[in-house]
Structure formats: structure tokens, C-alpha cells
Amino acid sequence: MSRTVEVAPARLERWVEGFAARHDGATRADVPGSFVLTGGDGSTATGEGFDHSRIGLVLVRRGGHAVGRDEGGDLLAHTCGTAYVQGKTKKGGWSQQRYARRRGNQADGVIGKVSELALRHLSAGSIDALVLGGDRRMSEQVLDDDRLAHLRDLPRRVLWDLPDPRYAVLQEAARRARAVRITLED
């Protein structure tokens, strides 16, 4: 059985001690950017850090968006907002097609707005890594903007399980971006 946990960097050593206590001791093998713990009972824990000082965050869903820049654990610049994107309709015919076009136009408007915010907050050279969250397709469409080409090749962490972005969600995404992801195998 496999599961993933996120541990704050400040709590990592204590978590490792707890893993060793629960699994009859543990041996640790470090590799660049990650580590592997092997417990005495055969369990393993593979940890992957995301150690970057300046992180850009782009969170987008149909109901909201948030773009921010985090430096050393502090959100220095951010903008959050909401947008209305009509839900799907189950009726057929011309109306359904009209609503689908409207939905597409509304979603394109959100993507354009988030692209503009990313240009404002995440200029070239201002960040070392990028976090994408919310809706996968919409987030990737934001990065399709040629003006954001400087963001495409940055180290990336994804958080697709986030709810509609608000300020509290943006703060939580920044915290989770810095967490060490540990995959446990029993």
C-alpha cells in the first residue's frame, strides 16, 4: 500500500525519528533532491523536497484564481479574484451549444486575466520555481501564453487538489509548496 504525506521542513527530522521508531529502526540514503528511508520491517519512505527561496504560484479554477510570489515563506505579492463561468446544461439543441460557447468565452476570460496577473507578479528572474494548482487544463493554458515562456522551464510542483483559490488557499498552497513530500510504501 502506498500513500503520500507532506511534512514541513522544520518537522522533517522529528518525522524521520518517528518513522524509525514505528518501523524497527531505519537506514537513510540521500540522493540529490531526495532521500530514501528503509525501515527494519521493510517499509520505505521516499522524500522529495522543493527547496527554492523564491516561488511563484498560479492557481486557477473556473470559480476563482490566485497568483502570488512567495519569498522565504512570505507572500510578498499576490492577487486573488473570482469569476463566473456558467455550469453545464443538460438540455440539448441550440441552447446547449450557445451555453457551451458562452462557457468557453468565460473560461478564456479567466485564463487571460490570470495571464496578465502572472506577467505582473512573476516577471522573468523574479522566481526560481513555479507551483501550479487548481484545474490542470486551465493552468496549462495560462502557461501557453508566449509572454510567460520564462515560467515554462522552471522547476515545478503541482497541487491539483486545491479548492477554488482564495487568499487562504493561496497561503496554504505556498506552505504546501515548501513541504517535503514523502511517499510511504508498506
Side-chain angles (χ1 to χ4, degrees):
M1 182 174 87
S2 174
R3 64 186 174 106
T4 301
V5 296
E6 294 175 344
V7 178
R11 294 184 51 237
L12 183 61
E13 288 308 314
R14 184 171 174 162
W15 189 92
V16 168
E17 291 169 4
F19 178 86
R22 289 186 303 274
H23 296 282
D24 300 326
T27 58
R28 180 175 175 154
D30 288 319
V31 294
S34 65
F35 63 87
V36 177
L37 298 173
T38 305
D41 62 358
S43 297
T44 61
T46 305
E48 180 183 339
F50 197 68
D51 190 25
H52 300 280
S53 60
R54 301 176 308 159
I55 298 175
L57 299 111
V58 176
L59 313 177
V60 61
R61 283 200 177 277
R62 288 185 183 266
H65 55 274
V67 176
R69 189 176 73 244
D70 179 281
E71 292 189 23
D74 295 322
L75 273 173
L76 297 183
H78 61 83
T79 302
C80 304
T82 60
Y84 175 74
V85 177
Q86 183 172 345
K88 292 186 178 183
T89 182
K90 294 185 180 185
K91 298 200 183 235
W94 293 103
S95 293
Q96 183 179 19
Q97 294 168 8
R98 185 177 73 239
Y99 292 140
R101 283 192 304 275
R102 183 181 300 159
R103 230 184 356 267
N105 291 338
Q106 290 167 342
D108 289 345
V110 171
I111 291 166
K113 172 110 176 146
V114 173
S115 295
E116 292 298 325
L117 292 173
L119 280 170
R120 183 172 17 150
H121 294 307
L122 310 176
S123 60
S126 68
I127 59 171
D128 306 320
L130 182 65
V131 172
L132 291 180
D135 183 277
R136 178 187 307 244
R137 189 167 29 111
M138 290 181 83
S139 298
E140 290 171 353
Q141 286 175 327
V142 169
L143 292 184
D144 286 343
D145 189 326
D146 290 334
R147 299 172 300 169
L148 299 174
H150 62 280
L151 300 177
R152 292 183 195 139
D153 296 328
L154 292 174
R156 188 179 300 177
R157 180 164 271 187
V158 295
L159 302 170
W160 303 130
D161 60 341
L162 295 174
D164 280 348
R166 304 286 187 267
Y167 181 66
V169 174
L170 183 64
Q171 288 178 312
E172 177 68 8
R175 184 198 62 76
R176 287 182 60 194
R178 298 186 180 286
V180 178
R181 283 190 180 164
I182 302 174
T183 303
L184 299 163
E185 299 282 340
D186 290 330

